[in-house]
Amino acid sequence: MPRYLSLVRVDESTAPAEGPSPELMQRMGELIEEITKAGVMLDTAGLTPQSQGKRVHWEGGKLTVTDGPFTESKEVVGGYALMQCKDMDEAVEWTQRFLKTHEEYWTVTCEVREIAEG
């Protein structure tokens, strides 16, 4: 079965400074438990804020390393899910369910892509 990566992009300007609410974390936990029991979830995790990250860039034969936050970024990668699904439609269905766990004030986008094998 093909594997899919869902990259979770978060608009940090709409995310609460204190992070996800306990209710959101409970809803996510319940969904992650369901998707894991269904044999779909292979791995998932949230990421620390971009202010704690570094960006490594290669251009013109030179490497540069930039400390976060990255002012040009509105949306940042906030997490990921690695899933094994029968097809893209199933991967999108699980991703939609994940997005619906969020309160309305969040702005979250998931990019779902099949992992190229071999």
Side-chain angles (χ1 to χ4, degrees):
M1 262 201 304
R3 295 181 304 156
Y4 297 87
L5 180 65
S6 180
L7 287 172
V8 181
R9 298 184 186 275
V10 177
D11 180 342
E12 287 189 331
S13 70
T14 66
E18 66 277 5
S21 68
E23 296 81 13
L24 171 56
M25 294 306 294
Q26 180 178 344
R27 288 190 299 272
M28 271 194 225
E30 290 168 357
L31 179 62
I32 289 168
E33 184 177 337
E34 180 183 349
I35 193 172
T36 301
K37 284 181 179 177
V40 171
M41 183 69 72
L42 300 176
D43 190 26
T44 188
L47 301 175
T48 59
Q50 69 158 341
S51 61
Q52 298 174 23
K54 294 185 182 282
R55 189 173 281 170
V56 182
H57 182 75
W58 173 259
E59 183 177 6
K62 295 183 182 178
L63 281 172
T64 57
V65 179
T66 306
D67 293 336
F70 313 112
T71 55
E72 69 278 4
S73 297
K74 181 180 177 186
E75 286 188 334
V76 299
V77 178
Y80 69 93
L82 179 60
M83 303 176 286
Q84 189 164 14
C85 302
K86 64 182 178 198
D87 55 26
M88 177 64 84
D89 289 339
E90 183 184 12
V92 168
E93 182 181 321
W94 284 111
T95 300
Q96 288 173 327
R97 290 189 57 195
F98 166 76
L99 287 173
K100 288 179 181 178
T101 65
H102 292 76
E103 292 92 356
E104 291 182 10
Y105 53 83
W106 285 84
T107 302
V108 185
T109 303
C110 289
E111 180 179 339
V112 181
R113 297 174 61 185
E114 185 172 349
I115 295 175
E117 303 288 353

